[in-house]
Amino acid sequence: MIEYRTLKIALLGGGTVGSQVARLLLENGAELSSRSGARIELAGIAVRDLDKPRDAALPRELFTTDAEQLILGADIVVELMGGIEPARELIVKALNSGADVVTGNKQLLAVHGPELFDLAGQVGAQLYYEAAVGGAIPIIRPLRDSLAGDSVTRILGIVNGTTNFVLDRMDVDGDELGEALAVATELGYAEADPTADIGGYDAAAKAALLAGLAFHTNVPLESVYREGIEDITKEQVDLAREMGYVVKLLAICERIADPATGEAAVSARVHPALVPRRHPLAAVHGAHNAVFVQAEAAGDLMFYGAGAGGVQTASAVLGDVVSAARRHVAGGPGVAESTHADLPVLPVSAAVTRYHVTLHVADQPGVLAEIARLFAENGASIETVVQSVAGPAGAADGQSPTATLVIGTHAALEASLAATVEALRASAAVTSIAHVLRIEGA
Ligand SMILES: NC(=O)C1=CN([C@@H]2O[C@H](COP(=O)(O)OP(=O)(O)OC[C@H]3O[C@@H](n4cnc5c(N)ncnc54)[C@H](OP(=O)(O)O)[C@@H]3O)[C@@H](O)[C@H]2O)C=CC1
Ligand SMILES: N[C@@H](CC=O)C(=O)O
Ligand code: NA
């Protein structure tokens, strides 16, 4: 019989993910121990409210409200509380006490990651965070380890399960945004405050982590351009379908050349985008996530799976627990984060993208020529023009008829495309601009 040493796990948080981590640690403890080479023992679960019903049947005596006491003497601290404080302070205490830390807290890492990774390096501990991006999908370890010998050039990711679920319901089931969000919240995909999902904040935190890892640099959260899906309407989703696209909230991380200097730089942005139905990301349904990675030698790779949900995310957390336990058994310092490049993160205006603009225009001679002139003057080139439907029966003044135009552009600098939209807005030929969406993956 092998004599394993015992590693104590302190679990901070017993909510959607934490309760499933606790259940699986208790149910599969023997198996996880044999994979780790150490006996893994759940020492306790810190929560706020001891009387709250839990998603899994867990022994009452494991629960405590004293998180600080729980981490004393723990070998591995698993933080699944979410939010910045007290999670940050507890992780600092855990690292200083020599424990390894496993977290799913992208919000915390996107803001305080550099100082926490520095601290882990100084004290010779490890900070694991596979659950923080793409839930169950292995994406942190592939970027950090498997692709460490390659050069990643671009990442296009559906990294928020709630918004993908909502947009998919709007596309497939014809739901309104609010109806679909209520179901996503009920299913446990949404953050405690769902504006973090709908507003793109959760995806922006994940984009910061992905871009930093992929390009070996530090990408501060505030440098990630962000738009959410709160203004996406069923009409836009329906029009996208008619035109052969699907609306997705994308995290886009690119290594680009600074248009002003030609120097290497990074672009990281989150916004809704039209994705052609033939692109692999268009087939990502429900709360699933997918991260499409382009690397110089490997070419195109796609990582796909459950991006949210308690038990699915628990899989990623337990993988990290086993890694941490193996490191304890093997000894020695872990792998430090590789952030040597120090690349500037450019504003969205420096990104190259394509626009899809839906306009109501006066249906008169010369209007198309005027619109084409505004695009050309601002350095944007039109690729397609479709007069999709007859416009409102007359302009607001009831005098001239209007038509609806859907214009697709060639790739251009975001700054040129945004300037074109401003010029269209100011033009007398344009009655109103119905929608502007970027096209990605075409
Ligand atoms: N849900 C998901 O699908 C995914 C979540 N994540 C991340 O995992 C983390 C946890 O998410 P999730 O499980 O959904 O969150 P929940 O809100 O469901 O759970 C949070 C848990 O932390 C406890 N908690 C919060 N604050 C404190 C505190 N100050 N002291 C003690 N306990 C506290 C809560 O206690 P109590 O129960 O008593 O209120 C609760 O048990 C977050 O960082 C989230 O972003 C990552 C990937 C997917
Ligand atoms: N709320 C998040 C959960 C995982 O990070 C999501 O919807 O993806
Ligand atoms: Na993951």
Side-chain angles (χ1 to χ4, degrees), residues 129-140 306 316:
Y129 57 106
E130 185 57 78
V133 183
I137 306 170
I139 183 63
I140 298 300

Side-chain angles (χ1 to χ4, degrees), residues 79-84 87 91 103-110 131-132 209:
E79 185 277 308
L80 293 167
M81 299 162 82
I84 304 289
I91 288 177
T103 180
N105 195 335
K106 56 265 160 169
Q107 192 197 355
L108 173 65
L109 292 180
L209 294 177

Side-chain angles (χ1 to χ4, degrees), residues 85-125:
E85 296 294 356
R88 187 202 61 84
E89 199 187 336
L90 291 167
I91 288 177
V92 167
K93 286 203 166 113
L95 291 171
N96 277 325
S97 76
D100 280 342
V101 171
V102 175
T103 180
N105 195 335
K106 56 265 160 169
Q107 192 197 355
L108 173 65
L109 292 180
V111 179
H112 292 288
E115 75 210 43
L116 294 175
F117 289 115
D118 277 356
L119 174 60
Q122 282 162 28
V123 299

